[in-house]
Structure formats: structure tokens, C-alpha cells
Amino acid sequence: MIGVAPFLSTADLVLASIALSMLLAACGAVVTSLSVVGALAAGSLPAGGSIGYALFYDPPVATER
């Protein structure tokens, strides 16, 4: 990836994006009048997109040791 620290892999960024989207949804539920269930359901959409990206668009490749 261009512009990303060399010690971060794509898998690291995918995991971080899943956690970040759920954290932002939970914080949004606390700060606003949204229900927690609704906010987490909305936050699960980008998290699911990140999982779909990791599994189908850029899947892990097995390497021989």
C-alpha cells in the first residue's frame, strides 16, 4: 500500500477498520439519541464491508515455508 507505514499489512488495516467502525458506532450511540442496537447495526455495515474486502477482493494467500 502506498503511503502506509511499512510495518502495517493489509490484514492489520482490515482488523483496525473493523474495530474502529464498531467503536465509532458505540460512541455515536452514547453521544447522540440513537439506540445502541441501531447504532451498532449501522456500524456493522462498514465492518462487514471490511470483512468482505479481506475475504473476497484481497484474500489471504498461502505462502510456502
Side-chain angles (χ1 to χ4, degrees):
M1 299 186 89
I2 298 172
V4 177
F7 55 87
L8 291 177
S9 68
T10 303
D12 294 331
L13 295 174
V14 167
L15 289 174
S17 69
I18 293 168
L20 184 64
S21 66
M22 297 306 289
L23 179 67
L24 289 175
C27 290
V30 170
V31 172
T32 64
S33 63
L34 293 173
S35 70
V36 174
V37 173
L40 290 178
S44 71
L45 294 176
S50 298
I51 293 170
Y53 170 80
L55 290 177
F56 302 112
Y57 185 75
D58 189 18
V61 179
T63 58
E64 294 184 31
R65 295 183 183 193

